[in-house]
């Protein structure tokens, strides 16, 4: 046959024409196959890839392959070879030769053996540095492309306002503008300017997954339509309009009784019609089946498939289940229209054409490993880790002076444990559920009535089997010893992350009493498999440090001459009881492979800390949810203004973080626009301290009187500026009036004229200038899908 006959193979034709041609040739079985996927390891038999066995599993092809990197222990060149082998079978031995794409995890780096381990997402958010996050995503893109993985199940765009939820660490924080800005940067870095040379990003989890009842994973969500759009949909809206997000993944939860995997009002009316999303929607793992077994809105798998497809969900992950034979049955008995199937298949095929898979389905496996663990990538991992460190308290003990300090006591369970440098979606932390307990269904938080979530071939993978394979990880203890060999370092673990064993306290206290400075490293263990203290399905009712770690800190405080506490954890903790007993306090989300080097360089002043909190730290768990930007009246307990046993204020507010240097803000000026024209806020910032450092400059706003109750403070934009001592720069924030828009009583997205207070500051409470203005004009109608992001001019 000529390429003219098979138009879908002609790369010179428009994509729509190619899709039309291919779709017209597909059988029902071939269409259904494109709506699902299969575990890569289900194509392996007796520890090897067998093409004959593989084609017997996918005789009609398949839409995508579930994870090679995050399901095996293959090194990059081996992973690329397996991808090529699978692709070859599908292209050469199925009737139409439709290529597959492989999806992988990449929240804090590509979840693959030998891939660069960057800080967990919340740590990246502590940098408040979109340019840095875009560079991180570019490395992830480079490594994924090297092994032929073309769909990343990231970024997480959930707005995290309940720290009890175990997946807060996977997010970019509690504010929709911050999450949207950082998520957009990640997507740009991952997808690039041309998707044919990039990796498709998946924004997840649509929608409001993070605000579940009781902070419990998969729990129902109760938010109104205004909150749903202004807060939880806004990061997705930003990703769609500003980065061209390719794929969306649904939430496991229900919103006001509507399971997101099966809600047309969420996946079609809101996502596609209101927000303008044109790409594919993929199911979070097993969520189609959950319409039957968990939410109980479907009587059987056929009905679950129909509900999901009618809602606007295109592909089932991680394997064909409801979208397999149950869907075929529904088509045959007329329960679902073929036009709906065609619409979903069309979106899947469009993504494959945009990725260029029909023209370039294979990769050069021989060079794949050269794209992993390069010096440049490790340097970027170091920079990301360094910028993620947040200094919460410092009475002058930091930075540590090598001239004055001759001995250091290094204490604590997080001082020398590389596993604690990882988040729940890092390799190998994420794969513990596979290589430690292959038959443990409960370890992935799935329903006990369901079959084990591991691939069918998992128990006989041979050399493909995953394992505890780490890239070189530098712990804080190792970094101190390597970087400062002249200092006498005394190490005592003291206790574990979990448990009540205090037998190591005495030795730890003795070490502290004999050292010039004591540094205690405490924290948590992030993961999917228990025991863990945070991560997916590891939710908590207490936000205190686990085990006896707080007792260890208090014991050390009694003996230490100077005490620094470093908390390395994926969870937001209540640290009020530790603040008064320490000279300095640092918080660091699992920082990845270069975490030890980065933390130690901050401790000793080689790096001036610049991290800012993307979440509020409550004083006590009883304040939860206690987040920045609550609506008027929400930040006080009426009518005394506080609790009977606590202030309502957080211990550490959103946007907070100290530095070793000082920044002065001066010469504020505002050029007021109106409800149709931008407003410009300018000022000068100067480094008036002794260290070169970076400041995260934040712009907030309050709509003083509006037609509905508005937040007391809203983040409009931010920028990170690096200044040498004495250096100054002029900054100008340009705020488009659509950035001030909200949903009025009639659910119209409007910007109203009236009084606004613009606030410039170093955090949400450290405000350096307030500019009270009246915005002229008429009430102006906008669409959320068209909001213009705030820009910053630096001179």
């Amino acid at each position: 046959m000529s390429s003219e006959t098979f138009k879908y193979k002609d790369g010179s034709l428009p994509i729509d024409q190619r899709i039309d041609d291919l779709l017209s040739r597909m059988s029902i079985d071939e269409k259904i196959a494109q709506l699902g996927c299969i575990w890569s390891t289900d194509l392996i038999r007796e520890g090897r890839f067998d093409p004959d066995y593989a084609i017997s599993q996918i005789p009609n092809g398949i839409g995508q392959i579930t994870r090679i990197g995050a399901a095996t222990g293959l090194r990059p060149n081996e992973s690329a070879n397996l991808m090529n082998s699978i692709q070859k079978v599908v292209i050469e031995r199925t009737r139409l030769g439709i290529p597959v794409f492989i999806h992988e995890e990449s929240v804090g780096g590509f979840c693959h053996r030998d891939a660069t381990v960057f800080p967990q997402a919340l740590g990246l958010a502590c940098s408040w540095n979109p340019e840095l996050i875009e560079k991180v995503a570019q490395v992830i893109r480079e490594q994924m492309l090297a092994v032929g993985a073309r769909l990343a199940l990231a970024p997480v765009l959930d707005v995290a306002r309940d720290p009890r939820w175990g997946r807060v660490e996977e997010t970019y924080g509690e504010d929709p503008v911050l999450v949207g800005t950082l998520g957009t940067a990640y997507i740009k870095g991952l997808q690039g300017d041309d998707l044919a040379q990039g990796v498709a990003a998946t924004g997840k989890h649509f929608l409001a997954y993070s605000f579940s009842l009781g902070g419990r994973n998969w729990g129902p969500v109760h938010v109104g339509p205004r909150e749903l759009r202004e807060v939880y949909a806004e990061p997705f809206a930003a990703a769609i309009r500003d980065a061209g997000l390719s794929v969306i993944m649904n939430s496991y939860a229900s919103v006001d009784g509507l399971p997101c995997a099966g809600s047309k009002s969420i996946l079609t009316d809101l996502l596609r019609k209101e927000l303008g999303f044109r790409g594919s929607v993929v199911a979070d793992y097993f969520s189609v089946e959950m319409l039957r077994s968990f939410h109980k809105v479907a009587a059987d798998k056929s009905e679950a498939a129909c509900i999901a497809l009618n809602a606007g969900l295109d592909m089932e992950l991680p394997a064909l289940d409801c979208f397999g034979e149950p869907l075929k049955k529904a088509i045959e008995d007329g329960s679902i229209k073929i036009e709906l199937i065609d619409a979903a298949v069309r979106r899947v095929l469009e993504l494959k054409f945009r990725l260029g898979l029909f023209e370039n389905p294979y990769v050069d496996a021989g060079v794949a490993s050269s794209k992993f663990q390069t010096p440049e990538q490790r340097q970027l991992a170091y920079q990301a880790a360094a910028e993620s460190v947040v200094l919460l308290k410092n009475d002058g003990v930091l930075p540590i002076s090598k001239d004055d300090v001759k001995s250091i006591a290094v204490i604590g369970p997080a001082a020398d444990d590389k596993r604690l440098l990882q988040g729940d979606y890092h390799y190998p932390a994420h794969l513990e559920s596979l290589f430690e307990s292959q038959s443990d269904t409960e370890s992935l938080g799935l329903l006990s009535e369901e079959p084990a979530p591991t691939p069918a071939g998992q128990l006989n993978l041979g050399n493909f089997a995953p394992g505890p394979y780490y890239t070189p990880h530098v712990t804080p203890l190792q970094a101190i010893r390597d970087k400062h060999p002249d200092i006498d370092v005394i190490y005592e673990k003291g206790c574990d992350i979990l448990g009540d064993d205090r037998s190591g306290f005495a030795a730890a206290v003795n070490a502290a009493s004999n050292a010039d400075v004591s540094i205690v490293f405490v924290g948590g263990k992030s993961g999917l498999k228990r025991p863990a203290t945070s991560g997916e399905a590891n939710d908590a009712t207490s936000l205190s440090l686990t085990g006896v770690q707080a007792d260890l800190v208090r014991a050390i405080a009694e003996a230490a001459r100077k005490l620094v506490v470093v908390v390395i954890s994926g969870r937001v903790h209540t640290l009020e009881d530790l603040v008064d007993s320490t000279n300095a306090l640092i918080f660091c989300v699992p920082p990845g492979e270069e975490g030890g080097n980065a933390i130690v360089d901050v401790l000793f002043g080689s790096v001036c800390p610049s991290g800012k909190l993307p979440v509020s730290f409550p004083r006590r768990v009883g304040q939860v949810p206690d987040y920045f930007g609550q609506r008027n009246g929400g930040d006080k307990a009426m009518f005394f203004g506080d609790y009977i046993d606590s202030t309502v204020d957080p211990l550490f507010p959103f946007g907070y973080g100290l530095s070793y240097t000082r920044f002065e803000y001066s010469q504020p000026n505002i050029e007021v626009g109106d409800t149709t024209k931008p407003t410009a806020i300018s000022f000068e910032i100067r480094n008036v301290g002794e260290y070169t450092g970076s400041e995260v400059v934040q712009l907030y706003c309050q709509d003083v009187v509006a037609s509905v109750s508005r937040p007391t403070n809203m983040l409009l934009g931010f920028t990170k500026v690096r200044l040498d001592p004495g250096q100054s720069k002029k900054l100008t924030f340009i705020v488009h009036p659509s950035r001030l828009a909200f949903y009025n009583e009639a659910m119209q997205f409007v910007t109203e004229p009236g009084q606004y207070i613009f606030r410039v500051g170093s955090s949400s409470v450290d405000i350096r200038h307030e500019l009270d203005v009246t915005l002229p004009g008429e009430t102006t109608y906008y669409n959320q899908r068209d909001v213009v992001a705030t820009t910053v001019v630096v001179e």
Side-chain angles (χ1 to χ4, degrees):
M1 294 287 184
S2 67
S3 61
E4 182 179 357
T5 303
F6 290 99
K7 292 182 179 180
Y8 73 90
K9 293 185 177 181
D10 185 350
S12 68
L13 293 177
I15 286 178
D16 284 346
Q17 290 185 27
R18 300 176 74 184
I19 294 173
D20 289 341
D21 179 64
L22 180 52
L23 199 58
S24 70
R25 302 175 186 276
M26 297 174 72
S27 68
I28 293 295
D29 289 332
E30 288 166 335
K31 290 177 180 179
I32 289 174
Q34 289 302 308
L35 302 184
C37 54
I38 186 170
W39 282 94
S40 62
T41 46
D42 281 351
L43 303 176
I44 295 167
R45 184 172 63 170
E46 302 300 327
R48 68 184 183 89
F49 179 77
D50 181 344
D52 293 332
Y53 176 72
I55 194 62
S56 73
Q57 301 302 300
I58 47 174
N60 297 299
I62 198 71
Q64 56 182 298
I65 302 296
T66 297
R67 302 180 354 181
I68 292 177
T72 75
L74 296 180
R75 310 206 88 137
N77 60 326
E78 300 166 328
S79 176
N81 273 320
L82 177 58
M83 192 286 298
N84 283 340
S85 298
I86 295 171
Q87 197 76 284
K88 181 179 176 67
V89 165
V90 173
I91 290 174
E92 296 185 0
R93 299 181 65 174
T94 62
R95 188 174 71 92
L96 296 172
I98 303 172
V100 300
F101 57 76
I102 294 165
H103 74 250
E104 295 281 6
E105 306 288 356
S106 62
V107 172
F110 183 13
C111 189
H112 192 293
R113 186 176 180 182
D114 295 336
T116 309
V117 182
F118 294 102
Q120 179 66 307
L122 192 67
L124 294 174
C126 289
S127 75
W128 288 60
N129 189 339
E131 291 77 15
L132 172 66
I133 291 174
E134 184 171 350
K135 291 178 182 178
V136 167
Q138 287 170 350
V139 170
I140 295 171
R141 177 181 68 189
E142 178 183 30
Q143 294 178 344
M144 290 186 70
L145 286 175
V147 299
R150 301 302 300 277
L151 176 63
L153 302 187
V156 174
L157 298 176
D158 295 305
V159 176
R161 292 186 163 181
D162 190 333
R164 296 172 297 179
W165 188 52
R167 302 191 75 172
V168 168
E169 64 174 70
E170 298 174 40
T171 77
Y172 294 129
E174 69 182 35
D175 180 80
V177 171
L178 178 64
V179 175
T181 303
L182 300 183
T184 294
Y186 179 99
I187 295 162
K188 287 180 177 179
L190 194 69
Q191 296 190 165
D193 297 328
D194 178 4
L195 201 57
Q197 307 299 322
V199 173
T202 304
K204 61 186 190 183
H205 309 83
F206 202 81
L207 188 61
Y209 177 41
S210 53
F211 205 58
S212 59
L213 189 67
R216 296 189 291 272
N217 200 42
W218 297 6
V221 174
H222 302 288
V223 296
R226 184 170 291 101
E227 193 88 352
L228 190 70
R229 286 163 174 79
E230 291 180 358
V231 176
Y232 297 99
E234 174 53 29
F236 292 90
I240 294 165
R241 67 185 175 236
D242 297 333
L245 177 64
S246 296
V247 179
I248 294 268
M249 176 181 280
N250 68 280
S251 161
Y252 283 121
S254 63
V255 177
D256 193 26
L258 300 176
C260 292
S263 170
K264 187 174 183 179
S265 66
I266 291 173
L267 295 184
T268 297
D269 296 343
L270 175 54
L271 178 59
R272 295 197 184 279
K273 294 180 181 179
E274 290 188 39
L275 301 186
F277 180 65
R278 294 187 63 254
S280 296
V281 176
V282 300
D284 206 344
Y285 284 16
F286 312 104
S287 61
V288 179
E289 158 58 20
M290 284 172 56
L291 295 173
R292 178 195 69 84
S293 57
F294 186 74
H295 296 291
K296 303 188 184 302
V297 297
D300 54 34
K301 294 186 177 186
S302 288
E303 187 177 8
C306 293
I307 291 173
L309 278 161
N310 272 297
L313 195 150
D314 299 318
M315 303 189 78
E316 183 180 25
L317 275 61
L320 275 176
D321 182 13
C322 300
F323 278 20
E325 287 302 317
L327 177 57
K328 185 175 181 180
K329 175 180 177 293
I331 296 171
E332 291 172 344
D333 66 21
S335 297
I336 192 167
K337 295 179 179 179
I338 191 63
E339 290 80 9
L340 202 61
I341 303 296
D342 287 350
V345 174
R346 177 177 290 276
R347 287 190 284 264
V348 174
L349 295 177
E350 181 180 357
L351 179 59
K352 291 188 174 186
F353 281 116
R354 290 179 61 215
L355 287 168
L357 289 172
F358 285 82
E359 287 69 47
N360 297 292
Y362 304 110
V363 297
D364 185 349
V367 301
S369 293
S370 67
K371 307 298 183 182
F372 288 68
Q373 286 298 309
T374 67
E376 294 79 12
Q377 291 166 354
R378 286 201 70 97
Q379 177 59 34
L380 185 63
Y382 167 81
Q383 180 189 349
E387 292 197 36
S388 76
V389 176
V390 184
L391 180 61
L392 300 177
K393 176 187 176 180
N394 185 21
D395 68 3
V397 67
L398 296 180
I400 296 171
S401 171
K402 291 180 288 186
D403 296 331
D404 300 332
V405 173
K406 305 303 180 185
S407 61
I408 294 179
V410 177
I411 299 166
D416 195 36
D417 189 338
K418 61 185 179 182
R419 173 61 181 81
L420 303 184
L421 300 176
Q422 295 204 327
D424 66 346
Y425 273 75
H426 286 131
Y427 193 105
H430 188 72
L431 280 79
E432 287 173 341
S433 296
L434 300 182
F435 64 74
E436 290 188 359
S437 57
Q438 295 172 341
S439 62
D440 181 10
T441 303
E442 191 174 342
S443 71
L444 282 182
L446 298 175
L447 303 174
S448 58
E449 68 180 84
E450 298 303 318
T454 54
Q458 189 67 48
L459 299 178
N460 189 20
L461 292 182
N463 292 334
F464 290 80
Y469 305 124
Y470 287 86
T471 61
H473 278 48
V474 181
T475 67
L477 176 63
Q478 178 186 339
I480 292 174
R481 285 175 169 165
D482 290 347
K483 290 173 173 288
H484 304 285
D486 295 335
I487 294 179
D488 183 22
V489 176
I490 311 160
Y491 168 63
E492 293 291 344
K493 185 176 180 180
C495 67
D496 291 321
I497 292 290
L498 295 162
D500 58 4
D501 184 2
R502 292 174 169 81
S503 60
F505 276 29
V509 169
N510 183 63
S513 65
N514 290 303
D516 295 328
V517 175
S518 298
I519 309 175
V520 183
F521 294 89
V522 293
K525 179 184 179 183
S526 171
L528 275 71
K529 179 178 167 54
R530 293 187 176 179
T533 64
S534 69
E536 186 172 2
N538 288 304
D539 313 311
T541 60
S542 171
L543 301 181
S544 301
L545 290 173
T546 53
V548 293
Q549 294 181 94
D551 293 341
L552 174 67
V553 172
R554 283 187 284 267
I556 299 301
E558 294 291 327
R561 301 171 193 173
K562 295 179 180 179
L563 175 59
V564 178
V565 173
V566 179
V567 181
I568 304 175
S569 177
R571 185 170 297 285
V572 173
H573 290 286
T574 48
L575 302 172
E576 187 174 29
D577 57 340
L578 298 185
V579 172
D580 292 338
S581 60
T582 62
N583 298 103
L585 181 63
I586 284 174
F587 174 72
C588 190
V589 179
E593 61 187 34
E594 281 289 324
N597 283 328
I599 293 169
V600 169
D601 282 350
V602 170
L603 290 171
F604 283 82
S606 298
V607 171
C608 186
S610 63
K612 301 279 188 175
L613 292 178
V615 286
S616 304
F617 272 51
R619 297 174 184 275
R620 303 174 188 178
V621 73
Q623 291 176 278
V624 171
D626 184 26
Y627 52 84
F628 156 80
Q630 297 192 35
R631 294 186 186 272
N632 289 313
D635 59 344
K636 294 290 184 291
M638 297 303 167
F639 48 80
F640 292 108
D642 55 17
Y643 296 100
I644 62 171
D645 56 355
S646 173
T647 175
V648 299
D649 297 328
L651 179 64
F652 297 112
F654 175 78
Y656 174 85
L658 302 177
S659 174
Y660 294 153
T661 193
R662 294 177 294 110
F663 299 96
E664 182 181 84
Y665 295 63
S666 64
Q667 302 179 32
N669 183 62
I670 187 166
E671 295 180 11
V672 182
D674 57 29
T675 56
T676 64
K677 298 176 183 177
T679 293
I681 300 99
S682 62
F683 52 92
E684 184 179 279
I685 181 170
R686 180 183 298 274
N687 183 346
V688 295
E690 299 177 356
Y691 294 85
T692 296
S694 296
E695 170 73 324
V696 177
V697 182
Q698 302 157 44
L699 177 66
Y700 297 92
C701 181
Q702 180 182 3
D703 186 347
V704 178
V705 178
S707 57
V708 300
S709 185
R710 302 285 289 129
T712 56
N713 214 7
M714 303 176 291
L715 181 69
L716 297 183
F718 59 91
T719 191
K720 194 164 191 173
V721 183
R722 182 175 177 84
L723 296 170
D724 294 326
Q727 185 181 9
S728 66
K729 291 183 179 179
K730 180 183 178 182
L731 305 183
T732 301
F733 284 82
I734 301 172
V735 181
H736 191 272
S738 62
R739 181 76 278 172
L740 305 174
F742 62 93
Y743 286 92
N744 65 12
E745 185 175 4
M747 290 302 293
Q748 299 163 318
F749 198 61
V750 300
T751 299
E752 296 178 342
Q755 184 184 6
Y756 289 82
I757 301 175
F758 291 92
R759 300 183 174 107
V760 176
S762 184
S763 79
S764 58
V765 298
D766 183 5
I767 302 300
R768 306 299 178 87
H769 299 298
E770 283 195 350
L771 301 164
D772 191 332
V773 302
T774 297
L775 193 69
E778 303 293 330
T779 297
T780 302
Y781 297 85
Y782 291 100
N783 292 309
Q784 190 175 4
R785 61 195 290 176
D786 298 324
V787 168
V788 178
T790 300
T791 57
V792 186
V793 177
V794 181
E795 302 175 84

